[in-house]
Amino acid sequence: MAEALTGEAILVATEEVLRRYGPAKATVVDVAKALGVSHGSVYRHFPTKAALREAVTRRWLDAIHVEMESVLDPDATAGDNLRAWLQHLFDRKRLSHSDEPELFATYKVLVSESSIIPDYHLGHLVGQIARIVQAGVDTREFVTDDVQTTAQAVWDATQVFHHPAHAQEWGNPHIQDAFDAVVSLVVDGLRYNRIPSATGDA
Amino acid sequence: MAEALTGEAILVATEEVLRRYGPAKATVVDVAKALGVSHGSVYRHFPTKAALREAVTRRWLDAIHVEMESVLDPDATAGDNLRAWLQHLFDRKRLSHSDEPELFATYKVLVSESSIIPDYHLGHLVGQIARIVQAGVDTREFVTDDVQTTAQAVWDATQVFHHPAHAQEWGNPHIQDAFDAVVSLVVDGLRYNRIPSATGDA
DNA sequence: GGGCTGACAGATATTGAAATCTGTCATCCC
DNA sequence: GGGATGACAGATTTCAATATCTGTCAGCCC
């Protein structure tokens, strides 16, 4: 007999169908056709079309989460780590938007379709920022009385450079300067009342 | 004879029609009907429907610009002025969004329709921020080597609290906390290397 | 004379019938 | 038995015919 139909195979096929037809045109029937099965079989593995799309989105976001983890350098200062982390996220989104605009638009739609996916994604990334901020507080490089709130503030302050609603601004030739200015402002804010070269308290 | 048809009267009628029918349904014929004239007469005062809408939008934005000017207090510190200015802009947008969601959506569409209006609006508001930052630099409360870039960075860092794409987040019960955290981070960044109570250089 | 009108052409939007899609389930086949 | 199938009902989308709108302009009327 042929290969057993797995959830994994369905996800791969769904990704391909989404990539080819876009989020508006991709149907469950298309996915089944690509797999050479009836669409009823797809519904044995995923309860609804929305659940199927959500699973594809989660896979994609998880890959980003893993990639972002790898940016952190345990030997670097918290300021450098934060800057590199934000730069990497920005570069990734910007390249994706400029090189594969249709795929970028597809995932933008997929993420906005779900009510839980954005919280999942944001929670994870803000958690990574919180770890960087906490490391900075531990080495007395940063000052804050609430790491979680501060991490969220860092995320909020840099929205222009990762929220897809601002993607059209990423083509601006001076966007890197704007990024540097915001990140410098934010990192300086975290270092409030500290001389960069000093390690002691004020 | 009846009152002469003025550009001003047309703008008022257009605002009313936009408010009643929304941006998708409001037509030049509707405006002419509201004024009791033929739509050909409207075209004597505005060359295109787009120009008419743009004039309405500009009037609305100019009112915001004037209102924001009035928030500045020449006797307050730059930090307090910046915080109050950002808070006022945020409150205004948030109230507009929650109290008159349809009108808010209408103006969101109008602004995004034009290619020059967003630049006009942003340029003006960032200019006001630049004046606050410059005042802070003059009193040695703030430190920056490029007021214009820094003002733009302040604007960019607070996009979540004024860009309409983020309006849905404004209903979050903790949004004021998030606002305070970002503004504190930004103001602290502007004060980098300074003790709040000190006035001298480092 | 100078602003206003209303008929007009091309562009855009609306509508409703037809086609397709989603999700279910009785049935089939290995 | 357990997974796959395909016909089906209701919901959604497509498409083409129809209606409306935009922008122009020759002529009208105060």
Side-chain angles (χ1 to χ4, degrees):
Chain A
M1 72 178 177
E3 307 291 315
L5 182 62
T6 63
E8 180 69 13
I10 293 173
L11 288 181
V12 171
T14 304
E15 265 187 31
E16 175 58 20
V17 168
L18 279 166
R19 183 184 285 268
R20 181 167 308 177
Y21 299 105
K25 291 283 182 62
T27 71
V28 176
V29 171
D30 290 331
V31 173
K33 216 175 294 177
L35 288 162
V37 299
S38 78
H39 76 280
S41 300
V42 174
Y43 280 95
R44 177 162 300 281
H45 296 263
F46 296 93
T48 64
K49 181 185 182 182
L52 173 58
R53 285 177 172 231
E54 200 166 286
V56 169
T57 311
R58 195 176 284 264
R59 255 167 68 100
W60 176 70
L61 294 178
D62 284 344
I64 294 178
H65 297 165
V66 169
E67 181 183 326
M68 292 309 299
E69 285 282 350
S70 75
V71 174
L72 303 181
D73 175 0
D75 297 328
T77 65
D80 287 347
N81 256 342
L82 183 56
R83 185 178 289 272
W85 189 92
L86 290 168
Q87 181 78 58
H88 192 87
L89 186 64
F90 179 38
D91 286 345
R92 192 192 206 291
K93 299 229 175 179
R94 191 173 33 164
L95 280 177
S96 170
H97 177 252
S98 65
D99 292 357
E100 309 181 292
E102 289 167 21
L103 191 60
F104 184 87
T106 293
Y107 278 109
K108 176 178 166 180
V109 169
L110 290 187
V111 169
S112 68
E113 260 171 11
S114 164
S115 55
I116 69 164
I117 284 287
D119 284 348
Y120 169 72
H121 187 49
L122 264 63
H124 195 107
L125 293 180
V126 173
Q128 288 196 22
I129 295 177
R131 279 169 42 210
I132 302 173
V133 171
Q134 182 63 60
V137 171
D138 291 344
T139 60
R140 316 200 76 169
E141 181 185 348
F142 289 163
V143 177
T144 176
D145 53 358
D146 184 340
V147 169
Q148 198 57 43
T149 297
T150 301
Q152 183 67 48
V154 170
W155 176 260
D156 287 342
T158 52
Q159 288 274 17
V160 198
F161 307 108
H162 42 69
H163 197 293
H166 297 278
Q168 60 174 7
E169 303 168 42
W170 301 343
N172 184 303
H174 300 303
I175 190 69
Q176 181 63 45
D177 293 338
F179 175 87
D180 289 336
V182 168
V183 172
S184 293
L185 195 59
V186 165
V187 171
D188 286 354
L190 290 167
R191 289 183 179 145
Y192 182 51
N193 280 352
R194 293 192 175 275
I195 308 299
S197 56
T199 52
D201 203 278
Chain B
M1 70 180 181
E3 306 291 314
L5 181 63
T6 63
E8 181 69 14
I10 294 173
L11 289 180
V12 171
T14 304
E15 264 187 31
E16 173 58 20
V17 167
L18 279 166
R19 182 184 285 268
R20 180 167 307 176
Y21 299 106
K25 292 282 183 63
T27 69
V28 176
V29 171
D30 290 330
V31 173
K33 216 175 293 177
L35 289 162
V37 300
S38 80
H39 75 281
S41 299
V42 174
Y43 281 96
R44 176 163 302 279
H45 295 264
F46 296 92
T48 65
K49 181 186 184 183
L52 173 57
R53 286 178 170 229
E54 201 166 284
V56 168
T57 311
R58 194 175 284 263
R59 254 167 67 102
W60 176 70
L61 293 179
D62 283 344
I64 294 178
H65 297 166
V66 169
E67 181 182 327
M68 292 308 300
E69 285 282 350
S70 75
V71 174
L72 303 181
D73 174 0
D75 297 329
T77 65
D80 288 346
N81 255 343
L82 183 56
R83 185 177 289 273
W85 190 92
L86 290 168
Q87 181 77 58
H88 192 88
L89 185 64
F90 180 37
D91 287 345
R92 191 191 206 290
K93 298 229 176 180
R94 190 172 35 163
L95 281 177
S96 170
H97 177 251
S98 64
D99 293 356
E100 308 181 293
E102 290 168 21
L103 191 61
F104 184 87
T106 293
Y107 277 109
K108 176 178 165 182
V109 169
L110 290 187
V111 169
S112 68
E113 260 171 12
S114 164
S115 56
I116 69 163
I117 283 287
D119 284 348
Y120 169 71
H121 187 48
L122 265 63
H124 196 108
L125 292 180
V126 173
Q128 288 195 22
I129 295 177
R131 278 170 40 209
I132 301 173
V133 171
Q134 183 62 60
V137 170
D138 291 345
T139 61
R140 318 199 75 169
E141 180 185 349
F142 290 162
V143 177
T144 177
D145 54 357
D146 183 340
V147 169
Q148 198 56 43
T149 297
T150 301
Q152 183 67 48
V154 171
W155 177 259
D156 287 342
T158 51
Q159 287 274 17
V160 198
F161 307 108
H162 42 71
H163 196 294
H166 298 278
Q168 61 174 7
E169 302 168 44
W170 301 343
N172 185 303
H174 300 303
I175 190 69
Q176 181 62 48
D177 293 338
F179 175 86
D180 289 338
V182 168
V183 173
S184 293
L185 195 60
V186 166
V187 172
D188 286 354
L190 290 166
R191 288 182 179 144
Y192 182 52
N193 280 353
R194 293 190 176 273
I195 309 300
S197 57
T199 53
D201 203 278

